[in-house]
Amino acid sequence: MPTTTRTRRVSPGLYKLLLTTHVAVSVSWLGVAASKLAIGLMIEAADTQERADALFLAMDAINIVFPVTAVSTLISGVVLSLCTKYGLLRYYWVATKLLLSIAVIITSVQIGPRITALMQNGVQEAPLRALLALTITHVLMLIAATVLSTYKPWSRTWLGRRQAAKLVREKVAA
């Protein structure tokens, strides 16, 4: 597919670097979320409190990487979208990915620490189930973002349609 200034605003080499970076950090983010889910399920199945506490410490260690991968994914996605024909708000699938990413980050920051605080004095069943539900939701949201990246469904947003119409008017006028 030929590259034109309308489809990409950066060189092919820089585009590939941005795309590779975004894919790498977003897959890492999904991996971190899936790891948290696996550890959470192991905590649920733990036969002793000591084992559950040790697994909870492992989950806490993984939580250190979560914000780094989340913010890196968000930043690389925004930069990548601004360097391509898709733009940040021109297509519904890109805007939806942005909203999913922001929702995972916000719920992680707002809900995750509250659940974790409830569990600090030993793993308890109700907060653990809430943490598992939150983690399952995050994994599903990140998988949905991955599917959107692959299939690129839906049409342009109102902003995208407006910009496309403007380009057509400029072509006709020229």
Side-chain angles (χ1 to χ4, degrees), residues 83-156:
C83 295
T84 65
K85 68 180 180 180
Y86 299 112
L88 192 57
L89 300 174
R90 287 186 198 147
Y91 288 84
Y92 284 109
W93 69 271
V94 178
T96 303
K97 279 184 58 177
L98 178 64
L99 289 174
L100 285 169
S101 297
I102 291 171
V104 171
I105 291 170
I106 288 173
T107 56
S108 294
V109 169
Q110 292 296 315
I111 300 171
R114 293 177 185 173
I115 296 170
T116 303
L118 292 172
M119 296 173 66
Q120 289 299 326
N121 298 330
V123 178
Q124 301 162 3
E125 195 170 311
L128 176 60
R129 295 238 167 102
L131 185 62
L132 283 172
L134 180 65
T135 307
I136 289 169
T137 303
H138 287 168
V139 169
L140 292 175
M141 291 168 76
L142 294 173
I143 289 172
T146 303
V147 169
L148 291 173
S149 294
T150 305
Y151 289 97
K152 298 173 180 48
W154 309 317
S155 60
R156 294 179 185 201

Side-chain angles (χ1 to χ4, degrees), residues 152-167:
K152 298 173 180 48
W154 309 317
S155 60
R156 294 179 185 201
T157 63
W158 65 270
L159 178 64
R161 289 190 302 270
R162 195 173 109 199
Q163 289 175 341
K166 181 181 174 186
L167 282 175

